[in-house]
Amino acid sequence: MRTLIIGGAGYIGSHVARRFLDEGFRVCVLDNLSLGQRENLFAEAEFVEGDILDIPTLESVLARGWDAVVHLAAFKAAGESMVKPEKYSVNNITGTLNILNAMVKTGIKYLVFSSSAAVYGEPSYLPIDESHPTNPENYYGFTKLEIERFLSWYEKLKGIRFSALRYFNAAGYDPENRIQGLEKNPANLLPVIMEVAAGWREKVQVFGNDYPTPDGTGVRDYVHVTDLAEAHLLALRYMMDTDKSLTVNLGSEQGISVLQMIETARRITGKPIPSEIVGRRPGDPAKLVASSTLAGTLLGWKARFSDVDTLVRTAWNVYNQVSQRAGKTS
Ligand code: WQD
């Protein structure tokens, strides 16, 4: 199987590339390295440094002939998307349309697309299933939902088959320690906690402890990036076997609070990990938990590495190694 992984030098993309290589697929990574990192590239995979806004490059790479495209290249900072929507319109929406048009032009049928739980916005019921209303609260989530709508039209009009994978909160690292690229200036909870544990950040700011949750802090559905990678493989096989598209949630179905994540990190790392309760972050729902029943039914997918200890332990393996190497022990 010949696969092109656009955004394959990124956090999730590199785990997908690793899983596809382990499956014996031929893998080419196309990435502009704006967020992705060279250290996330594998010797067994070809690499093309390119941008999804560069149509000639995109078309020339796709024209080489691939059985499928996996597209994870997007800006994903919800807060930033509310300040710079134009950046997200161009990169996320126009960039994806460029990919779709190049697929039509070069006759590539299958697309696995990185979507997000952000398409749902404030939950009106929990757990969130795929029938839940989609009212994104931030422009990032809006771009993902709009792209899903384009995918449906390209399926109807051009015979594209797509898998829209709505990730909940991706976390953790390859349990075999083969991926070591760390996100720069992370805003997500676990990387922030890891930076405090490694001594690179002073403390964790807990955005509110007055939510209607057991300990008052935000609850999210964290799903291990290795579980996500497996779902990309299963989704591709599903499309090829059934000639059908699909849209599924990918979550662990377990809710973990901010304080639970911090406490788990203190226990596993042995570090103090100072924290401070501050005000709520605008737009944060109290609780987001997925129903992933559909992914289980259609794909046979089940989260296997998404327990809180594995999420924290696999992340700490990487952060600790990098901090030891950098001599920045805390
Ligand atoms: C998780 C919880 C925060 C940081 C975002 C995007 C979403 C998706 C995943 C791409 C919340 C709390 C966080 C901190 C904290 N991205 N928190 N202190 O907001 O659930 O989802 O990332 O697909 O689209 O919106 O993730 O990790 O930012 O927050 O207290 O320093 O941790 O309030 O309850 P979020 P997050």
Side-chain angles (χ1 to χ4, degrees), residues 5-7 11-13 16 70-74 76 112-120 140 144 148 163-171 221-225 227-232 247-252 288 290 292 301:
I5 303 181
I6 304 176
Y11 167 55
I12 299 174
V16 174
V70 182
H71 170 31
L72 309 102
K76 67 165 182 92
V112 182
F113 172 64
S114 166
S115 190
S116 169
V119 303
Y120 294 115
Y140 159 75
K144 290 294 185 180
E148 288 188 14
S163 302
L165 304 182
R166 293 175 174 174
Y167 309 154
F168 277 67
N169 290 51
D221 180 322
Y222 297 93
V223 55
H224 197 284
V225 64
D227 287 325
L228 291 181
E230 183 70 17
H232 289 68
T247 297
V248 289
N249 290 341
L250 295 178
S252 62
L288 283 174
S292 289
W301 181 79

Side-chain angles (χ1 to χ4, degrees), residues 16-317:
V16 174
R18 185 64 263 161
R19 182 66 188 84
F20 280 26
L21 288 166
D22 291 346
E23 194 68 9
F25 289 2
R26 188 177 134 211
V27 171
C28 175
V29 168
L30 173 67
D31 201 302
N32 68 0
L33 300 180
S34 64
L35 290 177
Q37 300 172 52
R38 279 188 191 283
E39 65 184 306
N40 284 342
L41 298 171
F42 299 104
E44 316 100 288
E46 187 188 347
F47 172 58
V48 175
E49 186 169 354
D51 196 309
I52 56 179
L53 301 180
D54 173 356
I55 292 175
T57 299
L58 203 52
E59 288 183 350
S60 70
V61 172
L62 269 75
R64 290 167 45 192
W66 307 95
D67 296 305
V69 173
V70 182
H71 170 31
L72 309 102
F75 294 139
K76 67 165 182 92
E80 182 192 49
S81 76
M82 302 298 277
V83 178
K84 299 178 184 171
E86 63 280 13
K87 178 179 173 184
Y88 285 69
S89 303
V90 171
N91 187 65
N92 292 9
I93 295 178
T94 306
T96 303
L97 287 172
N98 291 346
I99 293 168
L100 283 169
N101 293 338
M103 286 177 67
V104 169
K105 190 168 184 176
T106 57
I108 300 174
K109 181 174 182 175
Y110 301 105
L111 175 67
V112 182
F113 172 64
S114 166
S115 190
S116 169
V119 303
Y120 294 115
E122 183 73 28
S124 49
Y125 61 80
L126 290 172
I128 295 175
D129 60 17
E130 289 80 359
S131 310
H132 187 285
T134 49
N135 296 305
E137 304 243 308
N138 54 63
Y139 194 71
Y140 159 75
F142 168 80
T143 65
K144 290 294 185 180
L145 186 60
E146 285 306 287
I147 291 164
E148 288 188 14
R149 294 170 63 185
F150 285 120
L151 296 177
S152 296
W153 274 104
Y154 274 70
E155 176 184 38
K156 271 196 263 306
L157 303 179
K158 290 294 178 181
I160 294 279
R161 294 290 180 269
F162 68 88
S163 302
L165 304 182
R166 293 175 174 174
Y167 309 154
F168 277 67
N169 290 51
Y173 269 84
D174 173 37
E176 297 176 50
N177 240 345
R178 297 169 295 181
I179 296 170
Q180 304 253 322
L182 301 182
E183 188 178 357
K184 300 177 189 73
N185 310 312
N188 291 126
L189 181 65
L190 188 51
V192 164
I193 293 172
M194 292 291 98
E195 288 199 349
V196 176
W200 307 339
R201 190 187 286 238
E202 185 199 349
K203 61 189 166 188
V204 181
Q205 290 188 314
V206 177
F207 297 148
N209 66 346
D210 57 350
Y211 285 102
T213 60
D215 63 20
T217 63
V219 172
R220 292 293 183 274
D221 180 322
Y222 297 93
V223 55
H224 197 284
V225 64
T226 299
D227 287 325
L228 291 181
E230 183 70 17
H232 289 68
L233 178 64
L234 295 172
L236 180 51
R237 292 203 188 287
Y238 172 87
M239 290 192 289
M240 292 182 160
D241 293 348
T242 65
D243 198 31
K244 288 181 185 168
S245 296
L246 77 158
T247 297
V248 289
N249 290 341
L250 295 178
S252 62
E253 303 187 321
Q254 306 299 314
I256 296 168
S257 77
V258 177
L259 290 183
Q260 279 177 302
M261 194 69 90
I262 294 172
E263 283 309 319
T264 304
R266 285 173 179 151
R267 170 168 50 83
I268 287 178
T269 67
K271 305 289 185 182
I273 308 182
S275 63
E276 174 194 12
I277 306 290
V278 297
R280 291 183 177 190
R281 182 172 63 177
D284 273 358
K287 184 174 179 181
L288 283 174
V289 174
S291 159
S292 289
T293 303
L294 191 58
T297 307
L298 294 183
L299 305 179
W301 181 79
K302 181 153 181 52
R304 297 185 298 123
F305 298 91
S306 297
D307 60 283
V308 63
D309 276 40
T310 304
L311 294 171
V312 174
R313 179 175 46 75
T314 56
W316 179 236
N317 286 347

